[in-house]
Amino acid sequence: MTETERHEYDVLVVGAGGAGLRAAIEARERGLRTAIICKSLFGKAHTVMAEGGCAAAMGNVAEKDSWQVHFRDTMRGGKFLNSWRMAELHAKEAPDRVWELEAWGALFDRTPDGRISQRNFGGHTYPRLAHVGDRTGLELLRTLQQRVVALQQADYFQTGDYEARLRVFAECTVTELLTDDDGAIAGAFGYWRESGRFVVFSAPAVVLATGGIGKSFKVTSNSWEYTGDGHALALRAGASLVDMEFVQFHPTGMVWPPSVKGILVTEGVRGDGGVLRNSDGDRFMFGYVPDVFKGQYAQTEDEADRWYDDQDNNRRTPDLLPRDEVARAINTEVKEGRGSPHGGVFLDIASRMPAEEIRRRLPSMYHQFKELADVDITAEPMEVGPTCHYVMGGIDVDPDTGQSGVPGLFAAGECAGGMHGSNRLGGNSLSDLLVFGRRAGLGAADYVAGLGRRPAWRSGDVDAAARMALAPFDAPSAGAPGENPYTLHAELQGVMNDLVGIIRTEAEMSVALERLGELRGRLRDVVVEGHRQYNPGWHLALDLRNMLMVSEAVASSALMRTESRGGHTRDDHPMLDPEWRHRVLVTRCDRDDPGGDPVVPRVTVEPEERVPMREDLLALFDLVELEKYYTAAELTAHPEGGAA
Amino acid sequence: MSYTGRFRVWRGHAGGGALADFEVEVNEGEVVLDVIHRLQATQAPDLAVRWNCKAGKCGSCSAEINGQPRLLCMTRMSVFTPDEVVTVTPMRTFPVIRDLVTDVSYNYAKAREIPSFTPPIDLAPGEFRMSQADVQRSQEFRKCIECFLCQDTCHVVRDHEENKAVFAGPRFLMRVAELEMHPLDVSDRVAGVQDQHGLGRCNITKCCTEVCPEGIKITDNALIPMKERVADQRYDPLVWLGRTISRRPR
Ligand SMILES: Cc1cc2nc3c(=O)[nH]c(=O)nc-3n(C[C@H](O)[C@H](O)[C@H](O)COP(=O)(O)OP(=O)(O)OC[C@H]3O[C@@H](n4cnc5c(N)ncnc54)[C@H](O)[C@@H]3O)c2cc1C
Ligand code: SF4
Ligand code: SF4
Ligand code: FES
């Protein structure tokens, strides 16, 4: 093999979104030499797209807010499937993480007394989301990016080299993790998009912060980067994934024109007063409050409208139910013939506040509809419908340190699992990135400090990774027609969207798994044209390996879970089943598969028991509420003494 | 409504290249980036282009359309007539890597040269108090998505490679203004903006403002006020002294 570029670091962070940058900052502040690797340019990660805000119980707007209330909201939103330890750490630490951003230069919108303003969002009891208009993710990412630069400047003053301890490898894609003979992390293999040349990193710790999987679905709010790389890299390295059946469909994506279908319309529109209506003009959400939330939402339009001004004496509008509920409701309205002309429903803010106010509060939504759909949202309603948005499932990690089952492999952000249970609340991702990004950075630093010797990768693995990466340039096997990566991708998106989408059935998912099997076979014959320099066809061919592996994990898990909960709705099993609450579906790479496919290895899914919630946390809920979700036997530990 | 559109796309690499002609399907509601994607999927699988969000939020897809610096994902096909040839070329100010992708490292180098946010040392996180009216000015500049179209347009560097070393460009001069107007930044940035970052070379033509997809008033709200501050400091030693003292942390 030709001379390959090599680098050595203490910690490799794969991903430059909120989670990756926060992890890298922490590792570098701990004195470790840290590399950040990302597929796009620095500052372009998916986090820039986040709109509505970052949830943290600072109590700036509602004094009654506290970590306990935030914890309860998060568990309810996730239908009690969440890793309760993650939800606890998240609720407790989010305020400090937000304040820290301010000390690094972030400029959030303010309250009248000069503190960080907070807005309402679905599923949050109090106004809780720190925000900057509707471009909060940009503010968060830019602040972290500028913090990275500040640390580089400090290193420059000391050493004369900006990159002495913290370097960004932008437009560089990791295709394989490298382990030593004992299975511990030893580094990573990747290629530069620009030149197509390979690069090998040696490092005892890797933090995966690669984001989500939405690019496997046709209608999605996600960018091309969301190909589930971290999920697949972790599987192939021996780590496991949890909760992969839970995929969030955001209720409000654009539905028209076709080329922008799926682009997000922030929940902030509803948080600030926008309401959903069907073609009859009805505010249909009042008819969709599920039993588990009865009594917590307004029952009349008058009460709902009063709530915006007086939250102590009124209940919130059901337009702000958790996302899974709203997405299903819209789906039903459209199916029953009360949809808008282009197959969505109406989201109306124009009739609810003056045009000037709309433009001030929601500038990018105004801009987005004006530019892309020729719709003036201050004068007419938007048309919206569900879009694949977020994956709750992800790499199984230790809540406190972010470490996966593989020594030296850590994960944080959207690619990590557990925190959000079966459904994520809006605004809880940005805070998740900060809280667990920092913790993973710390976890990696402690791990490296405690190591006796550095694991060494096996050179055979590097050669194999190089061969795998170049395979798409080979001619297809004799007689096979070369496959076009763009065509395979479009077919995969169709399969996942239509057969493993928002409403699922056993029959459709079985078909989906068959189709995925066919696509896996055809991927071996994928052929790309041109050479290695900035070749998007080649990049897509490599990404497809990961997309197929992760799609199989989603479909297999979804097939196994015979109940409906959060981001997993089964038409053939429409009820919540307490016997499924305490079980977690774990996906692993089937490494013993005889004659296994090295391009897209098979996965296995198995149910395991979840760790029961700590008693003091359980006691934060009323017994009557828990009884809706738990089996009687699980509630004996509750202080109100659940009947055994 | 669909039609066959005519496209001319620059294809090549650092060593050279040429415009390639394509005939390609165009559908109602599409943007230029949709058509580029269709070219990739059907005719030119290795056509290099940067993009991420396809919603005007990440600033990746900058290029020149019929000579105008624009975002590919925010340029609707409906602004062209069906018989019009649409020419897409890479940003001219930055070296080409391949096809529509350019080497924008100049911008990242400039970003590093600007001293970072410096809060008062006695203020702990959580203690920051700022009014909305005071943060609003810098917030406008923080809407920047770093598409670098303003950098591409500015004539100081557009055809003057030699100026790149001494000129930060509108985006990063605006970054200095953002920090200077931040209610809690304590460092004095006025001397630096003139001497190190090259504000003096800007002759307020406003071309940068015209191309900014975020509609930021770069020239009026960032560059001109900075020029005024430079003028004040240079010519009025008392003002200079007063400002320096009042900005010190208590
Ligand atoms: C339109 C939209 C709006 C949203 N709004 C909100 C909101 O208001 N509030 C909220 O809390 N959440 C919101 N979310 C969700 C939230 O933005 C994301 O979940 C979050 O930003 C994910 O951050 P991350 O750090 O995990 O990953 P990302 O920010 O996606 O970063 C992933 C990084 O990994 C890199 N990467 C991936 N694969 C590889 C590889 N193989 N090699 C090298 N690098 C790789 C990418 O280049 C990128 O740098 C929104 C999401 C979308 C799509
Ligand atoms: S106003 Fe100044 S910075 Fe902007 S384009 Fe003109 S010369 Fe360049
Ligand atoms: S100021 Fe405007 S044109 Fe310049 S980089 Fe930022 S968003 Fe782009
Ligand atoms: S793709 Fe993000 S701005 Fe065009």
Side-chain angles (χ1 to χ4, degrees):
Chain A
M1 172 180 145
T2 50
E3 200 51 44
T4 302
E5 179 181 343
R6 291 190 183 181
H7 297 278
E8 204 172 324
Y9 283 91
D10 297 324
V11 177
L12 291 185
V13 178
V14 186
L21 295 187
R22 190 61 191 83
I25 288 166
E26 199 64 26
R28 155 64 184 76
E29 285 187 336
R30 284 297 181 100
L32 298 191
R33 286 191 70 242
T34 305
I36 300 167
I37 310 169
C38 54
K39 292 210 274 194
S40 300
L41 291 172
F42 188 33
K44 307 292 179 202
H46 218 282
T47 300
V48 293
M49 293 170 72
E51 296 165 356
C54 176
M58 296 181 285
N60 290 354
V61 173
E63 267 173 42
K64 284 195 277 185
D65 203 5
S66 65
W67 77 260
Q68 288 91 341
V69 183
H70 192 182
F71 169 77
R72 280 202 296 259
D73 288 344
T74 302
M75 294 299 297
R76 278 180 194 135
K79 301 245 159 68
F80 288 86
L81 223 80
N82 321 48
S83 155
W84 47 266
R85 176 62 177 161
M86 287 176 103
E88 178 195 13
L89 291 170
H90 170 258
K92 283 181 173 164
E93 294 176 6
D96 283 337
R97 297 287 80 76
V98 172
W99 285 321
E100 175 176 84
L101 289 181
E102 204 168 41
W104 295 342
L107 285 175
F108 292 102
D109 288 349
R110 320 303 300 176
T111 61
D113 65 349
R115 293 186 293 172
I116 297 173
S117 176
Q118 300 185 264
R119 72 154 51 115
N120 286 306
F121 238 54
H124 292 281
T125 301
Y126 297 113
R128 188 178 282 146
L129 271 68
H131 58 92
V132 187
D134 49 10
R135 56 162 190 89
T136 312
L138 172 65
E139 185 68 17
L140 188 137
L141 193 76
R142 199 65 83 228
T143 301
L144 293 172
Q145 178 183 352
Q146 286 163 350
R147 177 67 184 166
V148 166
V149 168
L151 291 169
Q152 290 180 324
Q153 289 172 341
D155 287 344
Y156 180 75
F157 280 119
Q158 253 184 33
T159 67
D161 178 6
Y162 284 110
E163 297 178 335
R165 276 182 292 198
L166 186 54
R167 178 169 169 193
V168 181
F169 292 79
E171 298 202 308
C172 184
T173 304
V174 170
T175 61
E176 219 68 77
L177 296 176
L178 302 171
T179 51
D180 74 355
D181 290 331
D182 301 326
I185 283 295
F189 178 92
Y191 66 87
W192 289 103
R193 294 168 64 81
E194 189 175 303
S195 62
R197 279 204 278 276
F198 294 141
V199 47
V200 177
F201 297 91
S202 301
V206 169
V207 179
L208 293 174
T210 54
I213 66 163
K215 238 9 201 189
S216 298
F217 292 78
K218 189 163 66 200
V219 180
T220 177
S221 64
N222 294 174
S223 82
W224 68 267
E225 292 198 305
Y226 268 23
T227 53
D229 292 9
H231 292 77
L233 289 168
L235 280 175
R236 292 201 294 267
S240 43
L241 310 182
V242 292
D243 295 338
M244 289 306 289
E245 64 276 34
F246 297 114
V247 177
Q248 180 168 80
F249 291 81
H250 193 291
T252 60
M254 292 175 79
V255 295
W256 201 89
S259 72
V260 299
K261 192 165 179 168
I263 293 182
L264 193 75
V265 180
T266 177
E267 191 167 319
V269 175
R270 282 169 288 139
D272 284 2
V275 296
L276 293 164
R277 294 183 200 277
N278 61 20
S279 55
D280 301 334
D282 288 340
R283 290 180 60 180
F284 58 86
M285 282 310 300
F286 287 92
Y288 288 92
V289 181
D291 278 348
V292 290
F293 292 119
K294 278 268 149 62
Q296 296 175 30
Y297 286 80
Q299 272 158 346
T300 64
E301 294 187 19
D302 283 345
E303 180 180 3
D305 287 348
R306 283 196 306 267
W307 169 83
Y308 289 101
D309 299 321
D310 177 6
Q311 306 192 344
D312 287 342
N313 298 307
N314 297 287
R315 289 166 300 175
R316 61 180 35 229
T317 169
D319 291 292
L320 287 173
L321 273 160
R323 288 176 177 172
D324 51 324
E325 310 290 354
V326 184
R328 270 192 300 271
I330 294 177
N331 206 62
T332 309
E333 287 296 305
V334 175
K335 231 186 188 160
E336 294 181 356
R338 293 184 296 275
S340 65
H342 299 102
V345 294
F346 296 106
L347 175 58
D348 166 30
I349 186 130
S351 75
R352 314 254 318 156
M353 59 178 73
E356 198 38 54
E357 179 90 357
I358 297 172
R359 273 195 294 268
R360 189 180 64 74
R361 290 206 205 190
L362 301 161
S364 30
M365 282 305 105
Y366 174 74
H367 192 64
Q368 180 173 313
F369 273 88
K370 194 90 204 132
E371 299 279 319
L372 296 175
D374 247 339
V375 167
D376 178 356
I377 67 168
T378 66
E380 41 187 329
M382 298 160 248
E383 274 186 73
V384 295
T387 178
C388 176
H389 185 57
Y390 185 90
V391 61
M392 273 68 74
I395 302 160
D396 187 19
V397 292
D398 172 59
D400 290 73
T401 63
Q403 179 151 217
S404 72
V406 173
L409 185 61
F410 297 77
E414 189 168 341
C415 73
M419 160 71 201
H420 306 286
S422 68
N423 174 52
R424 172 178 74 86
L425 292 187
N428 267 3
S429 172
L430 293 183
S431 40
D432 164 0
L433 308 181
L434 298 170
V435 168
F436 295 105
R438 172 178 161 278
R439 282 188 165 269
L442 274 177
D446 288 345
Y447 171 82
V448 173
L451 271 185
R453 57 168 191 93
R454 293 198 164 216
W457 41 262
R458 297 164 292 190
S459 60
D461 290 351
V462 170
D463 295 341
R467 272 197 308 277
M468 181 69 77
L470 290 177
F473 287 106
D474 297 342
S477 50
E483 294 283 354
N484 176 341
Y486 297 96
T487 310
L488 289 181
H489 185 208
E491 287 187 32
L492 169 67
Q493 291 181 314
V495 170
M496 293 306 285
N497 215 80
D498 301 343
L499 304 175
V500 200
I502 173 163
I503 309 286
R504 301 161 173 177
T505 65
E506 180 177 337
E508 288 184 347
M509 285 187 289
S510 307
V511 176
L513 281 166
E514 249 169 64
R515 301 274 306 276
L516 291 175
E518 286 161 27
L519 287 171
R520 155 207 308 271
R522 287 166 59 192
L523 181 61
R524 265 176 298 204
D525 291 323
V526 76
V527 179
V528 299
E529 283 177 33
H531 48 79
R532 284 163 68 177
Q533 205 195 5
Y534 219 111
N535 184 339
W538 178 39
H539 303 160
L540 179 59
L542 296 179
D543 291 344
L544 275 166
R545 288 184 70 199
N546 301 331
M547 283 191 259
L548 274 172
M549 198 169 181
V550 171
S551 296
E552 189 174 347
V554 174
S556 309
S557 304
L559 183 62
M560 196 170 292
R561 182 171 284 271
T562 48
E563 66 155 352
S564 292
R565 184 188 294 268
H568 171 65
T569 305
R570 290 281 301 254
D571 219 15
D572 45 358
H573 298 276
M575 305 305 285
L576 200 90
D577 177 359
E579 289 299 345
W580 267 113
R581 196 213 59 81
H582 54 88
R583 279 186 282 176
V584 53
L585 294 179
V586 182
T587 305
R588 294 190 180 82
C589 179
D590 188 359
R591 291 165 134 193
D592 308 323
D593 185 14
D597 181 353
V599 181
V600 187
R602 291 238 165 231
V603 299
T604 59
V605 177
E606 277 166 343
E608 290 178 15
E609 283 297 306
R610 290 183 194 269
V611 186
M613 199 190 299
R614 223 173 52 224
E615 276 177 39
D616 57 311
L617 295 176
L618 201 63
L620 292 173
F621 298 91
D622 289 340
L623 191 59
V624 279
E625 178 171 18
L626 293 176
E627 280 166 351
K628 297 175 186 168
Y629 300 96
Y630 280 70
T631 61
E634 292 175 283
L635 291 176
T636 48
H638 194 275
E640 290 170 43
Chain B
M1 196 202 62
S2 289
Y3 65 92
T4 303
R6 286 185 295 154
F7 265 67
R8 309 193 78 188
V9 182
W10 195 88
R11 302 219 54 191
H13 44 77
L19 289 168
D21 288 303
F22 295 98
E23 295 206 340
V24 53
E25 178 188 324
V26 177
N27 301 312
E28 186 174 7
E30 287 186 336
V31 293
V32 173
L33 186 60
D34 290 313
V35 179
I36 298 284
H37 282 160
R38 185 164 303 117
L39 286 176
Q40 286 182 328
T42 58
Q43 303 182 38
D46 60 344
L47 172 61
V49 61
R50 273 197 191 104
W51 69 285
N52 272 27
C53 67
K54 206 173 161 294
K57 295 199 161 74
C58 71
S60 303
C61 63
S62 309
E64 299 187 7
I65 303 174
N66 293 347
Q68 295 295 320
R70 309 211 44 154
L71 295 179
L72 297 173
C73 73
M74 294 304 276
T75 306
R76 300 187 69 190
M77 285 305 296
S78 58
V79 303
F80 310 106
T81 55
D83 52 359
E84 203 172 337
V85 179
V86 180
T87 305
V88 188
T89 49
M91 286 192 283
R92 189 166 93 198
T93 301
F94 310 118
V96 166
I97 292 173
R98 196 162 166 229
D99 302 340
L100 300 176
V101 175
T102 55
D103 174 357
V104 290
S105 54
Y106 159 73
N107 300 289
Y108 291 94
K110 292 297 161 188
R112 269 182 189 165
E113 289 169 9
I114 293 163
S116 296
F117 173 59
T118 317
I121 35 171
D122 56 351
L123 213 52
E127 293 174 358
F128 286 53
R129 295 290 178 274
M130 299 177 265
S131 76
Q132 185 61 40
D134 289 342
V135 299
Q136 214 126 317
R137 283 189 303 177
S138 295
Q139 275 186 335
E140 180 191 6
F141 308 144
R142 289 182 73 82
K143 286 194 324 204
C144 170
I145 57 174
E146 298 207 330
C147 64
F148 308 133
L149 287 173
C150 57
Q151 307 281 88
D152 178 45
T153 306
C154 177
H155 65 93
V156 178
V157 284
R158 186 159 168 100
D159 286 309
H160 295 279
E161 196 60 34
E162 70 282 5
N163 285 344
K164 285 186 179 168
V166 291
F167 185 66
R171 193 277 171 260
F172 295 102
L173 292 169
M174 178 180 87
R175 165 77 171 143
V176 183
E178 171 211 318
L179 290 164
E180 173 68 16
M181 295 178 196
H182 188 301
L184 289 173
D185 184 78
V186 296
S187 68
D188 186 353
R189 301 174 182 273
V190 175
V193 78
Q194 187 74 356
D195 302 337
Q196 278 115 55
H197 311 307
L199 180 64
R201 286 170 196 266
C202 159
N203 51 357
I204 53 176
T205 57
K206 302 196 185 183
C207 311
C208 50
T209 305
E210 273 163 34
V211 298
C212 177
E214 285 295 303
I216 304 171
K217 301 263 181 301
I218 308 170
T219 324
D220 286 350
N221 292 351
L223 306 183
I224 292 175
M226 284 310 280
K227 279 179 178 278
E228 286 168 359
R229 291 186 190 202
V230 170
D232 286 353
Q233 251 192 34
R234 294 265 145 126
Y235 305 117
D236 188 344
L238 266 182
V239 169
W240 180 83
L241 196 66
R243 284 174 49 85
T244 319
I245 291 168
S246 69
R247 315 197 121 248
R248 286 227 177 96
R250 276 165 295 128

